Each structure stands twice: as structure tokens, then as C-alpha cells.
Amino acid sequence: MSPSKIRFSELVGEQTRAEIFATVLTAGPISRTQLAQRLGLVPSSVTRMLPPLLENDYLREADTAPQGRGRPQKMLHVNPDKHIVVGMKIGPAQVSGVVTDMAANVLARAEEAIADCTPETALSAAAALTSRLLSEAPEAADRVLGLGVGVSGHVDSASGICRYSALLDWNKVDVAGPLREATGLPVVVNNDVNTLVVAERWFGQGRDIDSFAVVTVGPGIGCGLLLDGALFSGATGLAGELGHLPLDPAGPMCSCGRRGCLEALAGDRAVLRHLQDAGVPCATISEAVDLARSSGGSAQTVARSAFAEAGAALGRGLAGMCNLLNLQKIIIAGEGAVAHDLFGPAMSQALEAHAFSTAARDCDIHVDPVRHDLWARGAACLVIRDAVGAAIS
Ligand SMILES: [Zn+2]
């Protein structure tokens, strides 16, 4: 059934069931009353939503020992052994994956470098890595729920197609079809930063926060949004392309072929270009980071101002997003986040300078340390979320 054919009440029901499962996973063991309170639901709604999750053994309910003179309470918890799930991130230079249980605990992880990122190479590497990961859990071969895949760019999750990725140079690439055929598993595909949003929501900095963004910095500027408690993908999965916010019509060319996008002003290439133009060329961004953190000299001053300029552009982009969405938190992640000491102060300053009313004050900025398997773990969570939402066994 296409999403447009699903009745609205069914869609709300699926979302609520997925939220119930995620809350039990992150806050459990938890009583029905506590669960209703945390989700802002009336207890009868929770009672109505629980049977498919309990009957299909996704959740279990057990008595706890009485505390003091209180009666024993029935507490809900996730059944971690119901299924195992594979999560995968496809990047330009490597594919990385995890196997998790239903509580999103990582049971195995692996990664594989790829010689190029053509769809053929990347998808066959992802299929091979899936087999390798599953071979590490042979006892669970009949309990594999599915494969979740995160890919950069504009991903239509309903069809499993990557419509466009500047980073991978992909146009209309069917990701789900070939992987389904190669692995024999149900496949869920989403934008890779969206997989991080789900991971942060379930067990990271986004717990108990209903409106936040994950912004990844590095070669590209990515963004995923959770608005009013739900992943926000927009009409066709394009939402969150913060990196292509047009900030300067006279600015440098962007990887998307347009001029002056935020990514062209704040991504790694912007920093390297600044250094090149100032006569202090650096071959890699880590070389630029080392130079900016070195002890003194004019080259260090140039490197520091390159990061500050990128940070200021990022801050203007974040201000635009905060003014539009009134976010509670922005989580800065991605490989470039390690240079936060260099771009962070200028970023915060520009965010405050361009924020309307209390938009900057309302929004906490949090820098997440680099955790490589979080992307793939988030992709596994997408499979779990979809399955418990639909409550299929
Ligand atoms: Zn662009």
C-alpha cells in the first residue's frame, strides 16, 4: 500500500506504537501509567495500543517485587531477542554496518573500504558486508528482521531510491531493490543523517526532546530534523538540506552546481580554499586543523580565521533554521565536529546575531563526539521502528 493510501488514523496509530516501543526501550522497565505520563497520552490509549506489541512478543510485561508496602507493579520491557537487525551506512569511501538486537544493542560491527562509490561497487559491498555480519550470529539466522540503510542526499524512503546525492554522485539509484535481491531481506532506506536523528532520539542527546536537528559538518553539511516528536522528511524526503541553503549569490560554487550554498561556505573545501587563497595551502582538512592548533605564526592565524569564517557561515545557516523552526536543540555531529573548538565560537556568535527574538536562547547547541557506528545503529533503529509501528510479527 502506498503511504497516500494509508488512512491518517492508521498512520497516527503506527507512529504512536513506534513511540511507545521507543519509550519502553529507552526508559524501561516502565509501568503503563509511567509510559502514558511520559508520552502525554491517556492511559486508555496506551492500553489500546499495547496488545499487538505484547501479542507479537516485541514487549513483555512482568511483575516486579513490591517496594515497601506497595503492591507489585507490572513493568513493561523490550524483548531484545525477538529479532536481530542489520544497519548499514554507505559512504563515499566505505560501507560500515552493525548487527543489533531489538533493543538496538550492537552485537557485531564491521566496515569495508570501497575503491569507488559507483552504485554497483557500493551496493555489492553493502550486500557482502551484510552476509559477513550475519555470519557472526549464525544462531539468529532465522530471526533477521531486515536491513536498514543510510545514504547521503535526497532519499525517497517510500520507494527506497536515492534520487540525488552530490557526495556520492548518484542520480536515481535504486538502493532497496538490489539489496533486497542480494540479501533476501526486507530493506528500509533513508537519508543517513535521518538515521542519526533516530539514534539520537532513542539513546542519545535527543531523548525527551520533541524538536531538534542533527547537523553534520565535514566535507558536506547534512541535516536531519525531528519535529513535534516525528522524523520530518518533507513531501518527497528532501527536507533538511541545510547545506544547500543559498546564503551568498556571489559566493563560491557548491558541489550541487549552484553558487554560495552554506556547504560551499562552511564545508571542508571552504576552509581549504581560504588557506589556498592566503598562500598557506593544506592538502587535507586534518592538516588544516593541526595548523590552526599549532603554536603561533602567521600561518596559524590564517588557519584559525579560515575555521572562524566557516563557523560564522554555519551560524548564519543555523540562525535561519532556528528562526524557521524554533528548535530546542541542535546536535553538531559528523567527522568535522572534532574541530568545534576552532569553528564553534564564531558559529555561536553568528547564530545569536542573526536569531529572531529568543530563537537562539531557546536552542541548546550540543557537540556529539564522533561515534562511528551510531549511523549504522540508527539505520537498524529505522527497521525496528517500522516493524513495531506496523506491529507485524
Ligand atoms: Zn549547494
Side-chain angles (χ1 to χ4, degrees):
M1 198 185 305
S2 75
S4 59
K5 301 263 175 64
I6 297 172
R7 282 174 39 231
F8 179 69
S9 58
E10 288 174 21
L11 210 56
V12 171
E14 284 188 17
Q15 201 175 307
T16 308
R17 251 196 305 272
E19 275 296 299
I20 285 174
F21 181 87
T23 306
V24 175
L25 188 154
T26 55
I30 187 170
S31 71
R32 292 184 181 213
T33 312
Q34 292 165 330
L35 184 60
Q37 280 167 354
R38 282 186 84 105
L39 290 169
L41 295 169
V42 290
S44 60
S45 295
V46 170
T47 300
R48 203 174 54 246
M49 289 288 181
L50 279 175
L53 295 173
L54 291 166
E55 284 157 19
N56 287 304
D57 205 20
Y58 286 112
L59 296 183
R60 289 178 175 174
E61 202 167 29
D63 282 332
T64 55
Q67 289 181 345
R69 284 188 292 168
R71 287 185 308 169
Q73 244 191 331
K74 281 193 178 304
M75 303 294 268
L76 292 156
H77 63 95
V78 167
N79 171 16
D81 301 324
K82 166 81 175 165
H83 291 293
I84 63 167
V85 186
V86 183
M88 187 87 43
K89 173 180 159 62
I90 297 178
Q94 65 177 27
V95 290
S96 47
V98 295
V99 173
T100 78
D101 63 16
M102 282 299 278
N105 297 309
V106 175
L107 306 175
R109 54 171 63 80
E111 57 186 46
E112 196 170 303
I114 48 178
D116 60 69
C117 63
T118 58
E120 295 73 27
T121 306
L123 295 179
S124 62
L129 195 65
T130 301
S131 306
R132 198 171 118 201
L133 282 162
L134 289 177
S135 70
E136 293 185 33
E139 74 291 349
D142 58 343
R143 290 188 283 121
V144 187
L145 183 63
L147 166 64
V149 185
V151 183
S152 81
H154 178 186
V155 178
D156 179 352
S157 60
S159 63
I161 289 172
C162 174
R163 291 196 179 193
Y164 171 63
S165 169
L167 188 70
L168 299 173
D169 194 20
W170 285 10
N171 265 298
K172 286 194 189 131
V173 172
D174 182 5
V175 177
L179 284 176
R180 201 182 299 123
E181 203 168 306
T183 64
L185 297 172
V187 178
V188 176
V189 188
N190 214 310
N191 169 273
D192 55 358
V193 189
N194 283 349
T195 69
L196 265 191
V197 170
V198 176
E200 294 285 4
R201 169 71 163 168
W202 281 24
F203 36 73
Q205 290 297 322
R207 278 189 196 199
D208 303 323
I209 295 182
D210 281 338
S211 293
F212 71 87
V214 175
V215 173
T216 56
V217 294
I221 307 287
C223 175
L225 297 164
L226 188 104
L227 301 179
D228 289 338
L231 191 63
F232 184 76
S233 299
T236 64
L238 178 63
E241 284 297 341
L242 178 71
H244 302 286
L245 209 62
L247 289 188
D248 180 2
M253 289 302 289
C254 179
S255 61
C256 72
R258 292 165 192 84
R259 202 171 272 285
C261 296
L262 172 58
E263 185 170 302
L265 301 169
D268 289 350
R269 269 184 299 178
V271 172
L272 296 176
R273 192 182 48 247
H274 183 121
L275 287 161
Q276 174 83 36
D277 291 349
V280 192
C282 283
T284 62
I285 196 71
S286 58
E287 212 177 290
V289 169
D290 289 345
L291 185 61
R293 288 183 185 147
S294 64
S295 49
S298 60
Q300 185 202 17
T301 308
V302 171
R304 293 190 77 85
S305 78
F307 281 102
E309 197 174 273
L314 182 60
R316 289 196 296 278
L318 297 186
M321 189 162 67
C322 286
N323 292 349
L324 198 62
L325 301 172
N326 193 194
L327 298 168
Q328 291 165 276
K329 190 180 249 191
I330 293 174
I331 300 160
I332 305 283
E335 53 207 89
V338 289
H340 179 258
D341 58 314
L342 300 171
F343 69 79
M347 179 191 79
S348 299
Q349 212 172 16
L351 169 57
E352 272 165 39
H354 293 274
F356 179 77
S357 185
T358 58
R361 240 179 299 149
D362 294 342
C363 183
D364 284 337
I365 302 287
H366 182 91
V367 181
D368 213 11
V370 180
R371 287 180 285 166
H372 287 299
D373 63 12
L374 201 61
W375 303 77
R377 200 175 168 204
C381 293
L382 281 172
V383 177
I384 298 171
R385 185 196 68 158
D386 284 8
V388 296
I392 48 170
S393 56

mmCIF file of all heavy atoms in Angstrom, residues 243-244 254-256 258 261, ligand 1:
data_model
loop_
_atom_site.group_PDB
_atom_site.id
_atom_site.type_symbol
_atom_site.label_atom_id
_atom_site.label_comp_id
_atom_site.label_asym_id
_atom_site.label_seq_id
_atom_site.Cartn_x
_atom_site.Cartn_y
_atom_site.Cartn_z
ATOM 1 N N GLY A 243 22.591 22.296 4.033
ATOM 2 C CA GLY A 243 23.841 22.577 3.328
ATOM 3 C C GLY A 243 23.639 23.350 2.037
ATOM 4 O O GLY A 243 24.569 23.988 1.547
ATOM 5 N N HIS A 244 22.420 23.289 1.505
ATOM 6 C CA HIS A 244 22.183 23.980 0.229
ATOM 7 C C HIS A 244 21.258 25.181 0.397
ATOM 8 O O HIS A 244 20.596 25.612 -0.550
ATOM 9 C CB HIS A 244 21.707 22.972 -0.824
ATOM 10 C CG HIS A 244 22.718 21.884 -0.989
ATOM 11 N ND1 HIS A 244 23.917 22.078 -1.652
ATOM 12 C CD2 HIS A 244 22.776 20.644 -0.450
ATOM 13 C CE1 HIS A 244 24.648 20.972 -1.555
ATOM 14 N NE2 HIS A 244 23.980 20.095 -0.832
ATOM 15 N N CYS A 254 29.158 25.465 -5.360
ATOM 16 C CA CYS A 254 28.877 24.367 -4.431
ATOM 17 C C CYS A 254 28.923 23.039 -5.200
ATOM 18 O O CYS A 254 28.821 23.014 -6.427
ATOM 19 C CB CYS A 254 27.497 24.587 -3.828
ATOM 20 S SG CYS A 254 26.974 23.303 -2.678
ATOM 21 N N SER A 255 29.018 21.935 -4.466
ATOM 22 C CA SER A 255 29.040 20.614 -5.105
ATOM 23 C C SER A 255 27.748 20.341 -5.868
ATOM 24 O O SER A 255 27.706 19.502 -6.767
ATOM 25 C CB SER A 255 29.246 19.523 -4.053
ATOM 26 O OG SER A 255 28.168 19.550 -3.129
ATOM 27 N N CYS A 256 26.673 21.083 -5.538
ATOM 28 C CA CYS A 256 25.383 20.869 -6.208
ATOM 29 C C CYS A 256 25.295 21.650 -7.514
ATOM 30 O O CYS A 256 24.290 21.555 -8.215
ATOM 31 C CB CYS A 256 24.235 21.262 -5.282
ATOM 32 S SG CYS A 256 24.071 23.037 -5.047
ATOM 33 N N ARG A 258 25.361 24.975 -7.721
ATOM 34 C CA ARG A 258 24.875 26.337 -7.506
ATOM 35 C C ARG A 258 25.920 27.139 -6.744
ATOM 36 O O ARG A 258 26.916 26.597 -6.286
ATOM 37 C CB ARG A 258 23.538 26.306 -6.756
ATOM 38 C CG ARG A 258 22.425 25.723 -7.599
ATOM 39 C CD ARG A 258 21.198 25.330 -6.798
ATOM 40 N NE ARG A 258 20.295 24.525 -7.626
ATOM 41 C CZ ARG A 258 20.416 23.216 -7.806
ATOM 42 N NH1 ARG A 258 21.379 22.541 -7.214
ATOM 43 N NH2 ARG A 258 19.572 22.566 -8.592
ATOM 44 N N CYS A 261 26.002 28.266 -1.616
ATOM 45 C CA CYS A 261 25.281 27.467 -0.615
ATOM 46 C C CYS A 261 26.087 27.456 0.690
ATOM 47 O O CYS A 261 27.308 27.640 0.683
ATOM 48 C CB CYS A 261 25.134 26.017 -1.071
ATOM 49 S SG CYS A 261 24.161 25.759 -2.529
HETATM 50 ZN ZN ZN B 1 24.659 23.502 -2.911
#
